[in-house]
Amino acid sequence: MRIAAGSDHAGYALKRVLVDHLAGLGHQVDDLGTTDADHSVDYPDFGAAVGRAVAGGRAELGVCVCGTGIGISIAANKVPGIRAAVVHDTTTASLACRHNHANVVCMGGRTTGEATAIDAIDAFLAATPEHGRHDRRVEEISVLEQPGAPT
Ligand code: RB5
């Protein structure tokens, strides 16, 4: 699978752990930055870059990490077509795929340990989107992005 990864400085170390893990599983991982933990950068730049890679078809999945996963998920979710989910463990990761059809997985480098993060991304990859009522709800999210949607 082609995977785009991104982080700010606070998520850099955990992102690298996840990038190495995913590459070790045979995935083609494109790290869109940032490139170190020592220089403060702005998480919206990297959430947007990952979101655009996924929405533009250059990656099938995005992985984002900031301090909490929250800010970078908010940024990624501003890209039309993106469903970015903050996950904390195997349960939330699996459900983000099965129920929310998430296409960007976000985690917190300051809130989630390495082993838990690896277990979570593995759980996401092992899960399969569920259909029926979940398709309807995901479609309702897409409608919110359409021009003319109520504000
Ligand atoms: C950076 O200090 C921090 O605010 C950021 O990584 C993230 O946690 C924001 O949501």
Side-chain angles (χ1 to χ4, degrees):
M1 181 186 292
R2 289 171 301 145
I3 300 174
S7 74
D8 69 358
H9 54 289
Y12 176 76
L14 183 60
K15 176 190 68 177
R16 288 308 315 171
V17 167
L18 292 170
V19 166
D20 289 347
H21 175 69
L22 291 165
L25 293 176
H27 298 288
Q28 181 185 326
V29 188
D30 189 10
D31 186 346
L32 302 179
T34 191
T35 55
D36 63 71
D38 301 324
H39 298 90
S40 181
V41 294
D42 296 334
Y43 58 79
D45 294 333
F46 301 95
V50 170
R52 289 177 184 133
V54 173
R58 297 184 294 282
E60 295 143 81
L61 176 67
V63 173
C64 285
V65 189
C66 66
T68 60
I70 296 171
I72 204 163
S73 73
I74 293 171
N77 273 318
K78 296 299 182 186
V79 178
I82 292 305
R83 292 179 299 279
V86 184
V87 307
H88 300 284
D89 48 33
T90 57
T91 301
T92 51
S94 178
L95 286 168
C97 174
R98 289 159 47 208
H99 287 193
N100 311 115
H101 303 182
N103 50 16
V104 176
V105 177
C106 303
M107 293 192 228
R110 293 172 175 165
T111 57
T112 300
E114 291 182 5
T116 300
I118 287 171
D119 286 348
I121 200 70
D122 286 348
F124 183 91
L125 292 171
T128 303
E130 296 174 8
H131 298 293
R133 68 188 187 281
H134 303 299
D135 284 333
R136 184 181 71 246
R137 292 164 184 166
V138 169
E139 178 57 25
E140 288 176 24
I141 295 171
S142 298
V143 168
L144 295 174
E145 296 178 337
Q146 300 307 311
T151 56

